[in-house]
Amino acid sequence: MSLSPARLERFARHIVLPEVGGAGQVRLAQSKVAIIGLGGIGSPALQYLAASGIGRLALVDDDVVDVSNLQRQTIFTTRDVGYGKAVSARRWLANFDDALHVDVSDARITPDNAAGLIAGSDVVLDGTDNFATRLAVSDACVASGIPLLSAAVGRFQGQVGAWTGHLPGEACYRCFVGDAFDAEDCDTCADDGMLGAMAGWVATFAAMQAIKVLLAGVSAMGDPGFGKLHILDGLDPGMRTIRIAKDPACKACGSPA
């Protein structure tokens, strides 16, 4: 695959980076990313992934735009209120870069349909706000052999983890949170609040990590950090990283008894 003169010009600031280069930009153009949830994390992440030249995007969100979303969900405007988020996001992408291939779904992710919704993706970025959905996505990624970036934010703190539980010795998201959260009963940003800029920081960091995953083996952007959880603090600005061990008893990626 080669890039057209128009695409070379568009991504010139990437291509001159030794850590990306022409080969890296071609890899991005050949890649597919599934974004699950188009809220405070999915919206800014989508913008930067689209701007990076990802060739195909799969967008999954069953919600509609509410006026309260506009404080942090940066792809939506007041004209989108009342319309589906997935369709509104596709409209934003069409205006931004009509060369992108976009698949949309307004289905709610469940253990039964998750594998189909992420099929063919090179990486999945999950920015949803309930554990049942996150675990369904994680389990599908393990079963399908797809790397997962899982990002979450609340108030002034966020976290981003990179998971490849399908690989020997590597943890999945379920190894991190366990099985107790399969029920949809966790707190959301409506309960706890969220600074919009904090969601943007977490989202753009997750997009950066997704690009690292896609360019692994082609560029020199560094280790994608699988099995590591990055915790971002907005009040006392900084980030710390912890390593999550694979749970041998994990029902998604552990060894059978």
Side-chain angles (χ1 to χ4, degrees):
M1 178 181 180
S2 60
L3 299 173
S4 69
R7 303 306 273 180
L8 288 171
E9 181 179 7
R10 184 171 187 130
F11 302 112
R13 301 300 185 277
H14 268 182
I15 294 169
V16 298
L17 290 169
E19 294 83 0
V20 179
Q25 196 60 50
V26 168
R27 168 62 66 86
L28 294 177
Q30 294 173 329
S31 298
K32 177 180 178 180
V33 176
I35 301 179
I36 315 299
L38 298 167
I41 292 171
S43 289
L46 171 61
Q47 289 177 302
Y48 277 96
L49 289 172
S52 75
I54 302 297
R56 183 177 291 275
L57 294 157
L59 312 179
V60 183
D61 198 309
D62 68 330
D63 200 4
V64 300
V65 181
D66 183 83
V67 68
S68 67
N69 300 150
L70 304 182
Q71 165 254 10
R72 64 199 178 280
Q73 299 181 18
T74 51
I75 56 176
F76 305 125
T77 70
T78 52
R79 290 182 295 178
D80 297 311
V81 172
Y83 292 93
K85 289 184 179 180
V87 173
S88 297
R90 179 170 58 185
R91 183 165 54 245
W92 183 90
L93 285 166
N95 290 326
F96 178 72
D97 185 353
D98 60 8
L100 300 177
H101 299 277
V102 184
D103 305 314
V104 301
S105 173
D106 59 3
R108 185 170 186 80
I109 287 239
T110 68
D112 294 328
N113 67 7
L117 291 171
I118 67 171
S121 299
D122 296 291
V123 66
V124 174
L125 196 161
D126 182 0
T128 57
D129 64 358
N130 74 83
F131 285 111
T133 301
R134 288 173 170 276
L135 287 167
V137 172
S138 176
D139 292 349
C141 285
V142 171
S144 304
I146 301 173
L148 170 66
L149 270 296
S150 183
V153 63
R155 294 176 60 82
F156 300 96
Q157 188 177 85
Q159 61 184 38
V160 178
W163 314 104
T164 49
H166 57 284
L167 298 179
E170 293 289 350
C172 73
Y173 180 74
R174 188 178 286 276
C175 293
F176 169 46
V177 301
D179 301 330
F181 296 109
D182 281 299
E184 300 188 33
D185 59 355
C186 63
D187 294 333
T188 68
C189 64
D191 304 312
D192 295 337
M194 181 197 304
L195 187 70
M198 187 70 213
W201 182 22
V202 173
T204 52
F205 184 77
M208 182 82 170
Q209 294 299 97
I211 292 169
K212 275 190 176 183
V213 171
L214 294 171
L215 294 185
V218 174
S219 78
M221 276 193 65
D223 180 7
F226 294 129
K228 293 180 179 179
L229 183 75
H230 305 283
I231 301 170
L232 292 71
D233 188 339
L235 286 182
D236 184 16
M239 182 173 67
R240 60 191 179 95
T241 302
I242 58 176
R243 176 83 185 182
I244 305 299
K246 190 179 189 75
D247 179 4
C250 175
K251 69 180 187 181
C253 73
S255 302

